[in-house]
Amino acid sequence: DAKTTQPNSMESNEEEPVHLPCNHSTISGTDYIHWYRQLPSQGPEYVIHGLTSNVNNRMASLAIAEDRKSSTLILHRATLRDAAVYYCILRDMNRDDKIIFGKGTRLHILP
Amino acid sequence: ETGVTQSPTHLIKTRGQQVTLRCSSQSGHNTVSWYQQALGQGPQFIFQYYREEENGRGNFPPRFSGLQFPNYSSELNVNALELDDSALYLCASSPILGTSRNEQFFGPGTRLTVL
């Protein structure tokens, strides 16, 4: 399975935008890029996913590089509730079994 | 719509014992996956069940086993508990098998401590 690389931790100020990077240089043509986050004392929750084009939803935006070897999760206006571990994950479109989680990025929000 | 629920929330066992963890999937979901999350690590895939059959397994020994019932709820059984089995066990359900575009919906987990 393809792997992703994320910074261990990041800090951001409340009400400012946050850009969470992810490298996936070995991504294959059938891999979707997914993001999940895990709030303290909770299970992971889906944030967003994409294949080639940039994506927006009510939670965040996903910017995908043209060569698909990297992507960035964008939180437009961080709140204290966004403090969590963010996981960047590749999932083969032809399979629907496991999600392979790395260690993710721990995002700290400063009030 | 009821989300994924897990029971119990916390459990303490001793080495060598057996444990059963339970999961009720979200309404309309027929696929259940189980994950183990050690402290400070990301969740690790244990196995997945689809229509009561195992559909994929991670790198876990046979003493980790599971069941899925006709109502799509599921159990995770661990025999001969070891200290390293102490972890948060997460259950996730998804609506249909066949595409990785489907998100998985996670429960809050069961915290297992093995003494």
Side-chain angles (χ1 to χ4, degrees):
Chain A
D1 295 298
K3 294 184 178 178
T4 62
T5 304
Q6 299 177 253
N8 290 332
S9 66
M10 291 182 62
E11 263 184 13
S12 180
N13 293 319
E14 195 177 10
E15 298 186 6
E16 290 186 355
V18 181
H19 289 67
L20 295 162
C22 180
N23 289 318
H24 28 78
S25 58
T26 59
I27 191 170
S28 74
T30 56
D31 285 331
Y32 277 84
I33 302 160
H34 287 242
W35 285 81
Y36 279 72
R37 72 178 185 179
Q38 188 169 19
L39 302 171
S41 303
Q42 294 188 27
E45 65 175 347
Y46 167 83
V47 177
I48 200 167
H49 76 272
L51 185 61
T52 57
S53 303
N54 294 344
V55 184
N56 300 296
N57 67 20
R58 63 175 181 81
M59 290 181 71
S61 295
L62 176 60
I64 301 173
E66 196 169 335
D67 63 6
R68 300 211 321 131
K69 292 186 176 182
S70 65
S71 60
T72 302
L73 180 70
I74 303 165
L75 307 179
H76 295 286
R77 192 167 169 271
T79 68
L80 295 176
R81 194 194 173 277
D82 292 320
V85 178
Y86 287 78
Y87 297 99
C88 170
I89 296 155
L90 300 182
R91 298 189 70 193
D92 188 323
M93 67 168 66
N94 295 318
R95 299 181 61 174
D96 190 38
D97 50 10
K98 58 191 171 186
I99 296 178
I100 297 178
F101 290 87
K103 290 189 176 182
T105 296
R106 182 171 295 278
L107 176 64
H108 302 272
I109 304 297
L110 305 176
Chain B
E1 184 180 80
T2 306
V4 178
T5 59
Q6 294 186 241
S7 62
T9 53
H10 296 85
L11 201 53
I12 299 175
K13 292 284 189 178
T14 56
R15 196 168 45 180
Q17 285 189 311
Q18 178 265 342
V19 69
T20 297
L21 310 181
R22 294 179 175 82
C23 170
S24 290
S25 59
Q26 187 160 319
S27 176
H29 290 187
N30 58 10
T31 303
V32 174
S33 304
W34 285 91
Y35 295 81
Q36 179 195 67
Q37 186 173 25
L39 208 57
Q41 304 294 316
Q44 299 297 307
F45 175 75
I46 303 175
F47 43 57
Q48 182 184 75
Y49 278 82
Y50 170 63
R51 291 186 176 177
E52 305 176 56
E53 297 285 334
E54 187 177 289
N55 178 66
R57 188 179 182 92
N59 189 27
F60 281 81
R63 58 191 186 84
F64 285 78
S65 63
L67 280 174
Q68 187 180 30
F69 300 99
N71 65 355
Y72 304 130
S73 64
S74 178
E75 286 183 354
L76 165 65
N77 298 291
V78 187
N79 294 322
L81 284 167
E82 301 177 0
L83 297 179
D84 285 348
D85 295 334
S86 295
L88 181 68
Y89 288 84
L90 295 160
C91 168
S93 71
S94 49
I96 191 169
L97 190 70
T99 169
S100 69
R101 289 170 290 180
N102 286 323
E103 60 184 282
Q104 293 191 2
F105 295 78
F106 284 80
T110 293
R111 173 72 62 188
L112 173 65
T113 302
V114 182
L115 302 176

